[in-house]
Structures are given as structure tokens and as C-alpha cells.
Amino acid sequence: MTPEVPGGKRGTMTLEIADGVPLTLLPYLRESADRLLQDAADLPEAELRAPSRLPGWTRAHVVAHLTAGAESRFRLLVAARTGLPIPRYPGERDRAEQVERDARGPAADLMERLRSSVTRVLTAIREHPRAAWRRPVRWPDESGRPVHETVSSLLQELEIHHVDLGTAYTPDDWPGWFAADECRRVVADLAARRDVPGMRIVATDGEIRHDFGPGPLVTGRSRALLAWLIGRSDGAGLTVSPAGPLPAPPPWLR
């Protein structure tokens, strides 16, 4: 059964704020967090230190990155609630160094910090004051976007990096409504860039379609398109017409 999601629409998780409150996504966040935390907790020490699906990163690096992401969103929620100018991260260099340190720390400490940071940010979302959801906060790109974006961005972080963890969870396991909406968002982001090769994209299970200029037609389900566009797949499950190699999407900037 396709879940009902924000805005009363079926098949999309687009965050339409009702009275400024995005809590309709909280059940999906909890489900996503529970899946990831269970998979991560089941990893023996040796597998935690093994390569992830991200080049140059072990699974421990992915766990450390997820922990930092949850903590950063918690800071934004505190900033919106208190009015203090708290940035999401102290700085990109500090963030990278923290991930490296944490990834090399004791496995038990790493997993406990992931669990506690995810639990804390979910609690902060549930308890965030209704009147503070639209307040602007300092994102890494220095934009002052509203704090309610922490909710949908956390769901994106959990689902995509769960795949990166390199367990049995793959893009085929993404909820269909999540894949459709995230694919739509990624296509919109790519449409604003100048380094995308000429091609046309059509999702066979939704209304996603975009013409990036003269080039082949690439079709497939939203999950397969999304995984390919963000570098989590070599294009398995996609069809290119006329027959030939798939275009190479540019590096995904997130």
C-alpha cells in the first residue's frame, strides 16, 4: 500500500508544510532510522572497518558521517528554537577531520554515538515549537533556508547513506515515494547546472521527465534513475535509446 504523505498526495514525499509543521514525515523518519540503526548494529567489528560503497570510505566512515549529519541538524533545530546564530557545522575542514577521527575510534563508541545522535534529533523534531518551523538558519552554503528543511534532508541522508553502508540495503529497497520525490529533486538540481551531458530522462513509474538537450533517451523506474544520477549505480535497470552507452552524469553535489 502506498503511504499517504504530506499534502495528501500518494506516491510523493514532497514536504508541503501544514501550518508550518512538517511532522507528517516523522513516522517515515523513524522507520528509516530504525532500519539503518539495526543494520549498523549488526555489523561485526571487522565488517565495520571494511570498505563501504563510497570510494575511500569504510563503513565506519559512513557511520561517522551519519552521526555528524544528525548532530548538525540538531544544532539547526536548537538555533531556530533559541534564536542563537549556531551554524550547522563549525567548518568543512573541522567536519572532515571529525569524521576521520570518529571512524577510527572504538566501534562500540561509534555505534552508541550514532544511536544517541539519531534519537536526539528525532526527539528535537517531535518537540520543536510549532511557531519556529519557518525560522531561517545557517546552512553549510550560508543560505538562510527555513529550519523545516532539516526534516526532509535528514530522511534523504538516512536513506541514501544506508545504501552506502554496503549491507543488504540497496536502491531497490528505497520506498517508492521517496525515490520518486528525491529523483524529481535531483533532476531539478541538475537542470540548473551546465555540466550535464545532453540526454532526455523519463521515469516509467511516475511523472519525472526532463530534456537536458540533444542526446539519447534514458528510461527506467525512479529508483534506478535516482541511483544512477547520484552515483550509486552504473545504470543497471535503465534503458538507453538509441542503443549505446549511458551518458555520464556529473558528480552529485549535495
Side-chain angles (χ1 to χ4, degrees):
M1 177 178 173
T2 304
E4 283 286 358
V5 291
K9 299 179 180 180
R10 289 185 176 270
T12 175
M13 58 158 273
T14 299
L15 190 59
E16 296 180 6
I17 306 301
D19 298 324
V21 182
L23 296 185
T24 45
L25 273 185
L26 191 54
Y28 306 109
L29 270 174
R30 287 200 192 100
E31 292 173 7
S32 181
D34 286 346
R35 286 193 296 268
L36 183 140
L37 291 173
Q38 184 60 61
D39 268 6
D42 287 344
L43 290 171
E45 170 84 21
E47 292 189 22
L48 187 64
R49 306 300 175 185
S52 71
R53 288 192 173 116
L54 289 177
W57 268 15
T58 65
R59 288 181 171 126
H61 282 89
V62 176
V63 170
H65 175 82
L66 281 161
T67 299
E71 291 173 345
S72 73
R73 287 168 177 82
F74 176 79
R75 286 193 289 272
L76 292 185
L77 290 161
V78 173
R81 190 175 67 246
T82 63
L84 296 174
I86 303 171
R88 178 172 166 184
Y89 294 112
E92 284 301 316
R93 181 176 177 178
D94 291 337
R95 173 192 181 190
E97 290 175 350
Q98 177 188 330
V99 168
E100 285 293 333
R101 285 194 305 271
D102 292 349
R104 287 168 171 74
D109 292 351
L110 184 62
M111 299 310 304
E112 173 55 26
R113 188 170 168 191
L114 174 65
R115 186 200 62 77
S116 62
S117 65
V118 169
T119 299
R120 185 168 68 160
V121 74
L122 291 179
T123 300
I125 288 170
R126 186 179 68 247
E127 297 177 352
H128 196 71
R130 178 179 294 267
W133 276 116
R134 293 187 181 275
R135 289 178 184 168
V137 289
R138 287 178 57 191
W139 292 83
D141 60 3
E142 296 300 324
S143 64
R145 303 195 307 277
V147 74
H148 69 66
E149 292 190 19
T150 58
V151 180
S152 56
S153 70
L154 180 59
L155 181 59
Q156 293 156 4
E157 186 96 343
L158 293 172
E159 286 296 326
I160 292 170
H161 289 312
H162 193 169
V163 169
D164 295 335
L165 199 58
T167 61
Y169 198 75
T170 73
D172 287 338
D173 296 307
W174 282 331
W177 49 268
F178 166 81
D181 194 78
E182 184 69 0
C183 187
R184 188 178 298 109
R185 188 191 67 80
V186 169
V187 168
D189 287 347
L190 292 175
R193 295 173 59 172
R194 297 184 178 182
D195 56 351
V196 182
M199 58 180 171
R200 290 173 295 144
I201 288 178
V202 175
T204 57
D205 58 349
E207 300 177 355
I208 303 166
R209 58 182 63 235
H210 190 82
D211 187 345
F212 290 99
L217 172 65
V218 179
T219 59
R221 296 180 65 82
S222 299
R223 290 183 181 91
L225 281 171
L226 173 60
W228 171 62
L229 288 172
I230 65 175
R232 268 61 181 183
S233 154
D234 61 2
L238 299 178
T239 300
V240 60
S241 179
L246 281 163
W252 184 49
L253 304 177
R254 196 166 177 271

